[in-house]
Amino acid sequence: MAQIPADENARFDAIIIGAGFAGMYMLHKLRGMGLTARVYETADNVGGTWYWNRYPGARCDAESLAYSFSFDEELEQDWNWTERYATQPEILKYAEHVADRFDLRRDIRFERRVDTAHYDESNNRWRVTTEQGDSASAQFLITAIGCLSVPALPDIEGLDDFKGHRYQASLWPHEGVDFSGQRVGIIGTGSSAIQAIPVIAEQADHLTVFQRTPNYSVPAQNFPLDQNWVDAFKKNYRGHRYNQKHGLNSGFGDLKTEIAETVPLAEVGDDLSDAEIEAGLEERWERGGAYFMNVVSDSMMSERTNARFVAFVHKKIRETVNDPETAEWLCPTSHPIGTRRICVDIGYYETYNRDNVTLRNLRKTPIERITERGVLLSDGEVEIDTLVLATGFDAMTGPFFNIDIRGKNAQPLKEKWVEGPRAYLGLMAAGFPNMFMITGPGSPSVLSNMLVSIEQHVDFIADCLTRAARENATKIEANLDSENWWVSHVNDVANDTLYPRGGSWYLGANIKGKPRVFMPYAAGVGAYREICDHIAAQDWRGFEFSA
Ligand code: NAP
């Protein structure tokens, strides 16, 4: 493919950073409004997270008919998902289909990494440059850079000494990896590893899992979709979409049942007897997926209710895993269930019954260093041929800090956010006029079905730009008081829940030196949408429009 020359002093109405689902829909939306836009994308293709995360077993933990765009009814009807939970290759194909169907590629510059984005007060424009030499300006800057797009390497001595093959889950080689005949070690037991472990175990000669903190995982109960069921579902797609957008399930829906909403059995877990709650949990476990947490409404609020969920999952782990010591090590005890992203797996716990899989408990025998031959634990060396790192991301703020973003008075965003991210509605930071963040920190984002949150933000931004154009306003800025109100509201909501006790990447706790601030908005997509709609109806309270 011929290299497209770099943009030189190109001018657009908007520059969008990132061509994942957020960037693609934003571009489509802006075009529909008659605006010009340029998208810069680091990868050589669309897809964002689904472009990079190609590790074995990668698939979405939201159901495929919910994890898809709702903005175009023909697209919705035409596209056919094959499984309850779509695989990474299928989701990437969908992203490519969307790009082609709406002819998006002509406005996307691939293999361009944005390195600076500076607001110029003299002309009220953003100047954006890329590492590849582009320089362009736009009235609006829209970040569509994802929440989990900056991989975190573990802080382990000797990582580069390892002489075998080393792979990172979130930067997986496109040609795939053949583990046949290999002794493989994997560090990490988060969502990525929990999906990868059963698949690697089937291929590898031996797999050693190095676990520091066990996670709670519920079965996906994945299955191929039945065409008759899909046809019936699609007849009422609008109703299902409505439930995703407004419901309590953070946009995940519950597609295995006829109603697209899982109705909790009770508002308060204490209202249920042990037998009732056990029956509810058993039913959701069999049904599969992350709605497990919604058996009752207070699973993330009440310690006592949460502890009943924990006991249930511990029981399931002990029933599934044959070796009692391995089972105990797999039972999470350091955090309430759900306070770290609950994992959705296919045969994860069963994998530990295989003869070729060993679990090493790093709490008992910590990693001292990586050696040329493998992993040195406090009780000796584990020799491996291949090391897989599934060690997570510098979440939510990491992608912003990878770019030198400067607002008014050349203030770096990094400086404004030194004690944690601050943005009105998780969308716009005071002091950074005309810059919008799709699924930014302070919005439901990672606690929701991302497609639902992306569409809501893109539509909200588009409406905001329309409001500005109607009044001939060229500048939109979040009001500082409104931003402060929102940030404290986000904190208050989080502090009413058990989330802050998870010590997770939601809090920045996985990155050394990162401020401990609960970043996503925990009240759910329905409540958040209502607030946004209310603000828009009040002539965009908290947003200042000027000429
Ligand atoms: P993660 O949940 O942050 O897990 C990282 C793992 O690496 C943890 O088990 C962590 O242990 C371990 N780790 C990190 N540094 C270590 C060290 N120095 N020594 C030993 N272990 C270390 O990352 P992830 O699995 O990539 O998932 C991140 C998020 O991506 C998920 O929560 C989810 O939101 C999203 N995701 C979604 C899907 C899906 O839709 N199906 C799939 C994959 C990921 P500690 O806990 O002890 O730090």
Side-chain angles (χ1 to χ4, degrees), residues 156-425:
I156 302 175
E157 207 187 321
L159 214 48
D160 292 331
D161 296 344
F162 184 58
K163 291 269 192 276
H165 307 284
R166 187 177 107 193
Y167 303 102
Q168 200 157 352
S170 47
L171 296 171
W172 205 257
H174 290 200
E175 62 280 12
V177 177
D178 182 5
F179 293 105
S180 314
Q182 303 264 311
R183 294 165 304 170
V184 182
I186 183 166
I187 300 180
T189 46
S191 296
S192 304
I194 281 177
Q195 289 185 331
I197 285 166
V199 183
I200 298 175
E202 273 178 17
Q203 243 188 44
D205 201 30
H206 193 90
L207 174 65
T208 306
V209 178
F210 298 97
Q211 171 190 270
R212 191 164 63 181
T213 313
N215 267 301
Y216 299 93
S217 190
V218 295
Q221 312 288 17
N222 186 45
F223 49 77
L225 288 173
D226 170 69
Q227 196 53 47
N228 292 331
W229 181 86
V230 171
D231 292 345
F233 184 89
K234 282 186 173 180
K235 283 204 176 106
N236 184 28
Y237 228 143
R238 299 274 58 74
H240 294 299
R241 294 297 196 193
Y242 182 90
N243 286 338
Q244 282 167 30
K245 291 174 185 186
H246 298 271
L248 295 170
N249 279 349
S250 291
F252 287 96
D254 184 356
L255 307 185
K256 206 180 163 188
T257 57
E258 277 307 305
I259 44 164
E261 171 83 270
T262 310
V263 182
L265 294 177
E267 285 292 308
V268 179
D270 281 353
D271 290 348
L272 298 178
S273 68
D274 283 346
E276 284 169 326
I277 205 161
E278 179 96 0
L281 288 168
E282 190 66 51
E283 192 260 328
R284 300 286 157 99
W285 186 271
E286 286 309 316
R287 194 190 294 183
Y291 348 93
F292 177 76
M293 291 305 294
N294 298 346
V295 173
V296 291
S297 301
D298 66 343
S299 58
M300 292 304 296
M301 317 284 279
S302 155
E303 252 177 73
R304 182 157 184 274
T305 300
N306 192 283
R308 294 165 96 187
F309 280 58
V310 168
F312 179 87
V313 177
H314 284 184
K315 189 185 78 171
K316 286 288 181 193
I317 296 171
R318 290 178 187 127
E319 279 170 8
T320 309
V321 178
N322 298 338
D323 175 54
E325 187 177 49
T326 304
E328 283 319 301
W329 289 352
L330 287 167
C331 288
T333 51
S334 63
H335 59 283
I337 185 169
T339 57
R340 292 178 173 209
R341 169 77 162 224
I342 199 158
C343 304
V344 177
D345 73 88
I346 300 179
Y348 176 63
Y349 293 119
E350 292 83 349
T351 298
Y352 291 96
N353 295 332
R354 297 177 65 105
D355 292 338
N356 70 334
V357 176
T358 310
L359 179 69
R360 297 304 308 258
N361 180 350
L362 302 180
R363 299 281 175 199
K364 277 189 166 303
T365 50
I367 296 178
E368 291 191 346
R369 57 170 296 127
I370 306 293
T371 65
E372 285 186 11
R373 292 178 304 273
V375 181
L376 180 63
L377 302 179
S378 60
D379 66 348
E381 191 177 32
V382 180
E383 286 191 24
I384 51 175
D385 307 302
T386 299
L387 177 62
V388 176
L389 302 175
T391 46
F393 300 87
D394 182 355
M396 304 199 78
T397 50
F400 286 95
F401 295 165
N402 254 2
I403 304 168
D404 175 14
I405 298 176
R406 292 173 192 234
K408 284 199 310 204
N409 306 315
Q411 185 190 24
L413 186 69
K414 210 170 184 170
E415 184 185 288
K416 178 180 165 91
W417 285 6
V418 71
E419 287 173 9
R422 305 187 71 77
Y424 183 41
L425 298 176

Side-chain angles (χ1 to χ4, degrees), residues 27-105:
L27 171 61
H28 177 66
K29 190 88 188 176
L30 292 176
R31 274 192 192 162
M33 296 163 67
L35 299 178
T36 59
R38 167 74 83 228
V39 182
Y40 293 112
E41 164 59 52
T42 308
D44 63 6
N45 200 350
V46 296
T49 204
W50 301 105
Y51 174 93
W52 297 104
N53 287 269
R54 298 172 189 238
Y55 58 84
R59 59 173 85 225
C60 189
D61 59 6
E63 296 194 38
S64 46
L65 279 107
Y67 191 84
S68 51
F69 281 126
S70 75
F71 69 83
D72 186 281
E73 288 187 36
E74 281 179 19
L75 165 68
E76 207 171 56
Q77 292 295 330
D78 289 352
W79 183 264
N80 279 314
W81 297 103
T82 60
E83 292 179 73
R84 182 181 182 192
Y85 297 93
T87 60
Q88 173 272 330
E90 190 168 47
I91 303 172
L92 186 57
K93 258 194 213 123
Y94 174 73
E96 290 174 338
H97 172 78
V98 171
D100 295 335
R101 187 178 183 115
F102 298 103
D103 188 21
L104 299 178
R105 294 178 196 272

Side-chain angles (χ1 to χ4, degrees), residues 147 396-397 400 417 421-427 437-445 486-487 490 518-521:
C147 298
M396 304 199 78
T397 50
F400 286 95
W417 285 6
R422 305 187 71 77
Y424 183 41
L425 298 176
L427 261 165
M437 298 173 258
I438 304 176
T439 65
S443 69
S445 58
W486 183 254
V487 171
V490 171
F518 192 80
M519 294 182 281
Y521 181 54

